[in-house]
Amino acid sequence: MIYKLIVTLHGNQIHELELDTSKEYVAGRGKTCDIVLDGEKGISRQHIKFSFDNTWKVQLIAKYGALIYSGETCEEIELDGDAVFAAPPFEFKLFIEDPMQDPVVEDESDPLHAENADSSPLDPLQANDNINDDANALVVQSPPPSDQDGAYDIKLGDEDAKDSPSNLPANPDETFQGNMESTDPGISKLQLFLEAKYSNGKKEVFKLEGNLWVAGRDPGCEIFLKDDHISRQHFELTQTNEGYYITDLGSSNGTYINKKKLKPHVPTPLESGDRVKIKRVRIKFNVVDEKFEQAANDIDEKQFMAPVPISGSGGTLHPMDGPGSHPFNNNVPMMYEGPAVERIENDSFNLLQINTWSKAHKIRATIILVGAIFAFMMMGETPQQKEGTQESTSVEPGIANLTQAQKESLAINYNLANQLKRQGRFDLCIAKVEEIHGLIEPYKDSKKILSQCEIAKQIKLEREAKERLEAQREKNQKRVSQVVDHCRKYIQSFQTVEQVDECLLPAIELDPGNPEYFPLRDQIQQRQVAAENAAQEAARRQQQIAEGNAMFRKAKAVYDRKDLKRSITQLQKYLNSGYPDPNGNKRKARGMIASARAEFDKILSVELNQCKQLAEKNEWKPADEACNKVLKQDSSNQQAKEVKSKLRIRLSKKMKEIYENASIEENFGNIEAANELWEKILDEDFQGGTEFYDRAKRKKRKYGL
């Protein structure tokens, strides 16, 4: 499965990422978060966390704030499919894609589509075949017709039949006389209109068809509002069986209904005549029955207001017989329709002028509404049941504090809950019971109905999940085998394990630990290891050749500078290094060493003889320099060392004699004669020769000579 998460702010997408089920994600305003929610108040540094355990779970980890999911505030959400939720002002959309899923035409023979044909014996309730699993559309069906013409039979248990006001026994002799088409809300055509007035005085009227519309200044919105104060996606309108709802989509300037600001991402009921305000934009919401005027004119008021016949025994109201007759039903199924918006000219739009109806119109409207309520009450309550209601007052004292409308709502929701329970629509059954408990708890056996629906819902969900899991497992295994066979066929074309894994990727995503992958990987791995070893050996040899060449070039440079002794040492070190020699450098190095040694020996011999000759002539300084040249080339030359040592001894002896004579002349005050002797020492001796050289210089400085 591929899980994609899209994050939007004020209708604009700010993040899109693919979620990895092996990781956890943290969203918040902290810069180190996986999903950074920046620039908005109310968001903590670490605000929410995403984790995966069979399904994605979203948890609020901040101290403050809330998650909004399906119109409810919560701190933790479990997402088992495509879903939309909000951490205001940010909205999150999770999309689940199956890359292995092929388009399949649904077959009624598929066990997943025939689950109700063979319900589990563990089910406390047998689900009706006509289950509508669309949780977004409330569909309340009328009771099915029984074998008796003109009568409707609702099958309940003994306990249900005793208390239910909907148990209507057939009595064809007594029928309701009147035009049901004029009063049945299922026949009325209610039409939604929006009238928008902009700050410049311009007006627009929108006629809406369908069940869901988004309004904003984005031209892609169903309701396109051309004003800079409107966000790109500002608010959303939805139509359900319970009425119309408006939801602010986290807009910049907010949405006000009847001067009250809406909470972002929280659906709010919308009534006909309500006024919506966004800065200087005013929007009026009207629901109009386009056929109301004709229906009001056609009704026979006297006949409609005539007493309704009730049987003496059962007190049951019966529908009309004959073609076109039908029971009164205020629970008309609402099927989802795609959004459609028609912008109409304001001058030609008269249906919004509801307040301009004549007095006759208002009277007819009142007659219809009162008659409809009266007919429904008479259908839903017999004299015996009235007595039961009075008796139940003592059991349920809280019902006495309810208004008549609330009591009627209790009876309607109770019957709907039973009907939804029998049909297997447990989510809606639970919702109806919760509405009942919002007024009074318990009401009759509402707690029992709630428990049954909750248990049945859980069993149904677990069974469906198990069946889906098993079917998916079989499909995955088949797909894994196909992928492995394909990769095995082309194994010779792969050079690396990564290429094999890329081929196996569709299978690995479905079954990461399948043992069939390992032989394919091992085969490529062995081939890859051999190739890598050969490449490493070749690289190592090239590196050694490069290092040897560098070492040879360095030694040759020393040789070219005629630094014979050092060049001989470095060339010999290169020969001993063992570097590969594809270029024949070692042969050249050996020739250079031989040449350097011959030249070196020749130079040493000449300079050594010169050193000896000069020493014999008492040319102390040139002799010392000649000996130093020999020692510089060969510091271990013993002949040069001996000549230099003897030279220094003889020089020191003579310089001492001259210095002593100069000291005698100095003592007798003959400074000029002493100075001549000091000058002789400086001429014959040299810096670094004997100590008398430095003494003579100090004497001359002493006398300023």
Side-chain angles (χ1 to χ4, degrees):
M1 293 293 184
I2 297 177
Y3 301 88
K4 289 187 178 179
L5 181 70
I6 294 177
V7 186
T8 60
L9 175 63
H10 307 317
N12 298 319
Q13 180 175 321
I14 60 172
H15 293 295
E16 180 176 359
L17 65 157
E18 185 173 323
L19 301 182
D20 186 346
T21 56
S22 63
K23 298 180 180 178
E24 290 186 350
Y25 297 82
V26 175
R29 61 182 175 88
K31 300 300 182 183
T32 59
C33 290
D34 304 293
I35 305 170
V36 179
L37 307 176
D38 202 5
E40 295 293 328
K41 296 181 179 179
I43 300 297
S44 300
R45 293 183 181 276
Q46 292 187 338
H47 201 73
I48 56 178
K49 181 176 74 174
F50 296 79
S51 59
F52 186 86
D53 184 12
N54 295 325
T55 59
W56 280 103
K57 295 181 179 178
V58 185
Q59 181 182 3
L60 180 71
I61 57 177
K63 266 188 179 180
Y64 306 102
L67 300 176
I68 298 176
Y69 180 63
S70 297
E72 296 183 357
T73 301
C74 49
E75 293 186 356
E76 186 171 344
I77 306 171
E78 185 171 343
L79 309 176
D80 57 358
D82 292 354
V84 178
F85 65 97
F90 295 89
E91 184 173 87
F92 299 78
K93 299 177 182 178
L94 178 68
F95 299 99
I96 302 177
E97 299 175 6
D98 186 352
M100 309 300 298
Q101 185 69 43
D102 296 324
V104 179
V105 178
E106 293 185 356
D107 186 353
E108 292 182 356
S109 62
D110 190 319
L112 291 175
H113 295 86
E115 64 180 14
N116 295 316
D118 185 15
S119 299
S120 168
L122 296 176
D123 290 355
L125 302 169
Q126 289 293 331
N128 189 291
D129 289 334
N130 298 324
I131 295 178
N132 183 350
D133 288 329
D134 185 356
N136 295 324
L138 176 60
V139 181
V140 184
Q141 298 179 342
S142 301
S146 68
D147 295 334
Q148 296 172 313
D149 294 336
Y152 282 74
D153 180 24
I154 300 177
K155 296 180 180 180
L156 300 172
D158 294 339
E159 184 176 349
D160 294 333
K162 177 180 178 181
D163 297 328
S164 174
S166 300
N167 188 15
L168 307 175
N171 190 349
D173 296 331
E174 299 174 352
T175 60
F176 172 76
Q177 301 296 325
N179 184 0
M180 289 296 293
E181 184 175 353
S182 299
T183 58
D184 189 349
I187 303 301
S188 298
K189 175 60 176 178
L190 298 180
Q191 182 63 59
L192 174 61
F193 290 90
L194 291 184
E195 181 179 8
K197 183 178 180 181
Y198 299 102
S199 56
N200 59 5
K202 183 180 177 181
K203 293 183 180 181
E204 282 187 307
V205 177
F206 302 89
K207 179 180 179 181
L208 308 184
E209 299 285 350
N211 301 84
L212 174 67
W213 310 269
V214 175
R217 60 179 172 85
D218 189 330
C221 294
E222 288 80 22
I223 305 172
F224 177 35
L225 300 173
K226 295 175 286 188
D227 190 278
D228 292 339
H229 294 108
I230 305 293
S231 297
R232 295 179 63 84
Q233 292 183 332
H234 199 99
F235 65 84
E236 178 184 85
L237 294 176
T238 53
Q239 181 184 13
T240 70
N241 280 77
E242 298 177 353
Y244 293 94
Y245 288 85
I246 182 171
T247 305
D248 183 272
L249 299 178
S251 61
S252 300
N253 293 318
T255 305
Y256 292 79
I257 176 171
N258 299 331
K259 299 183 180 181
K260 292 183 179 180
K261 186 174 183 180
L262 303 182
K263 293 183 179 179
H265 306 286
V266 177
T268 302
L270 194 62
E271 302 291 343
S272 181
D274 284 348
R275 297 180 183 272
V276 177
K277 173 177 172 276
I278 303 169
K279 286 291 184 178
R280 296 184 181 180
V281 180
R282 303 292 187 269
I283 302 171
K284 185 176 181 182
F285 176 87
N286 276 325
V287 180
V288 179
D289 184 354
E290 294 181 310
K291 298 182 179 180
F292 178 81
E293 187 170 354
Q294 178 183 351
N297 289 329
D298 291 343
I299 191 169
D300 186 339
E301 298 180 15
K302 292 183 179 180
Q303 184 181 23
F304 188 84
M305 295 302 294
V308 179
I310 299 176
S311 64
S313 59
T316 304
L317 176 68
H318 293 280
M320 294 172 59
D321 293 331
S325 63
H326 52 80
F328 180 81
N329 174 23
N330 76 328
N331 296 310
V332 182
M334 175 174 291
M335 304 307 294
Y336 176 80
E337 300 175 12
V341 178
E342 177 186 355
R343 184 180 280 106
I344 62 179
E345 295 297 333
N346 197 36
D347 293 340
S348 62
F349 181 67
N350 296 321
L351 292 175
L352 287 180
Q353 310 302 324
I354 298 178
N355 294 330
T356 63
W357 284 2
S358 65
K359 184 176 181 180
H361 290 162
K362 296 179 180 178
I363 293 174
R364 292 190 181 100
T366 304
I367 292 172
I368 292 173
L369 294 176
V370 173
I373 294 172
F374 178 75
F376 187 88
M377 291 172 60
M378 295 308 297
M379 289 178 63
E381 190 170 340
T382 64
Q384 290 84 349
Q385 290 162 341
K386 289 181 179 179
E387 294 175 4
T389 303
Q390 294 173 356
E391 293 172 1
S392 66
T393 304
S394 59
V395 179
E396 300 164 348
I399 200 169
N401 299 325
L402 302 180
T403 64
Q404 185 61 33
Q406 289 174 329
K407 293 177 182 178
E408 293 168 3
S409 175
L410 281 177
I412 293 171
N413 286 333
Y414 179 81
N415 292 336
L416 282 173
N418 274 299
Q419 181 181 347
L420 293 167
K421 178 183 73 173
R422 292 191 301 275
Q423 293 175 350
R425 299 161 68 190
F426 305 118
D427 283 326
L428 299 178
C429 170
I430 293 170
K432 287 302 172 186
V433 175
E434 288 176 349
E435 286 186 31
I436 292 173
H437 289 172
L439 295 175
I440 184 172
E441 182 178 357
Y443 176 72
K444 298 187 179 179
D445 60 343
S446 60
K447 285 194 173 181
K448 177 182 177 183
I449 295 173
L450 178 62
S451 176
Q452 289 175 339
C453 287
E454 288 176 341
I455 294 172
K457 174 187 173 182
Q458 186 62 31
I459 292 174
K460 177 183 175 183
L461 292 175
E462 290 176 357
R463 181 177 67 247
E464 290 175 348
K466 184 178 180 180
E467 290 173 352
R468 285 195 301 270
L469 184 62
E470 187 60 34
Q472 189 63 44
R473 185 182 293 112
E474 293 177 0
K475 183 177 179 180
N476 291 351
Q477 187 56 47
K478 182 179 179 181
R479 178 59 177 159
V480 167
S481 299
Q482 291 174 347
V483 173
V484 171
D485 291 342
H486 170 78
C487 296
R488 188 180 292 116
K489 181 179 178 181
Y490 293 96
I491 190 68
Q492 296 302 326
S493 64
F494 301 135
Q495 300 300 322
T496 64
V497 174
E498 287 75 16
Q499 291 176 337
V500 176
D501 286 343
E502 185 177 356
C503 179
L504 292 170
L505 183 59
I508 294 174
E509 290 177 342
L510 298 174
D511 187 4
N514 195 302
E516 293 186 47
Y517 309 150
F518 300 121
L520 299 179
R521 285 174 174 161
D522 291 342
Q523 185 175 346
I524 298 299
Q525 211 164 28
Q526 292 172 4
R527 190 193 308 167
Q528 187 178 9
V529 168
E532 288 176 353
N533 289 340
Q536 290 175 1
E537 181 61 28
R540 187 180 65 82
R541 177 177 171 79
Q542 290 299 321
Q543 179 67 23
Q544 288 181 337
I545 291 173
E547 291 176 358
N549 290 338
M551 190 175 184
F552 173 74
R553 286 193 299 270
K554 184 177 180 181
K556 184 176 180 300
V558 176
Y559 173 82
D560 291 340
R561 292 196 304 267
K562 298 300 181 180
D563 191 350
L564 301 177
K565 180 67 175 179
R566 188 178 170 199
S567 66
I568 292 171
T569 302
Q570 292 194 6
L571 287 169
Q572 189 61 50
K573 184 178 180 180
Y574 166 67
L575 289 175
N576 297 334
S577 64
Y579 285 120
D581 181 27
N583 302 321
N585 290 334
K586 289 186 177 180
R587 177 179 53 80
K588 296 177 185 178
R590 280 190 287 269
M592 289 178 184
I593 290 174
S595 175
R597 280 178 176 170
E599 187 174 356
F600 180 69
D601 290 342
K602 183 179 178 180
I603 293 172
L604 284 181
S605 178
V606 172
E607 291 182 349
L608 184 59
N609 289 332
Q610 187 178 8
C611 174
K612 290 178 180 180
Q613 292 173 2
L614 293 171
E616 289 175 357
K617 296 179 181 180
N618 293 329
E619 295 182 10
W620 317 111
K621 189 173 182 178
D624 188 78
E625 290 176 354
C627 290
N628 285 338
K629 286 183 179 179
V630 174
L631 291 173
K632 183 178 180 181
Q633 295 293 333
D634 184 6
S635 59
S636 62
N637 192 297
Q638 291 299 323
Q639 292 185 36
K641 287 181 179 181
E642 289 177 2
V643 172
K644 185 173 181 178
S645 176
K646 291 178 180 179
L647 183 148
R648 292 290 180 94
I649 293 172
R650 289 166 55 197
L651 176 63
S652 178
K653 183 177 180 181
K654 183 166 183 183
M655 294 300 108
K656 179 179 180 182
E657 182 181 347
I658 297 172
Y659 186 81
E660 288 176 349
N661 291 333
S663 296
I664 293 172
E665 294 291 341
E666 181 185 11
N667 291 333
F668 283 106
N670 193 358
I671 303 301
E672 184 176 350
N675 184 47
E676 290 178 359
L677 294 173
W678 291 332
E679 284 288 344
K680 187 175 181 180
I681 292 173
L682 294 178
D683 288 339
E684 294 182 10
D685 201 352
F686 53 89
Q687 183 72 36
T690 69
E691 61 179 306
F692 301 105
Y693 180 86
D694 293 329
R695 287 184 179 184
K697 288 182 72 174
R698 288 197 293 271
K699 289 292 184 180
K700 286 176 68 67
R701 284 198 299 269
K702 177 179 178 182
Y703 295 104
L705 301 175

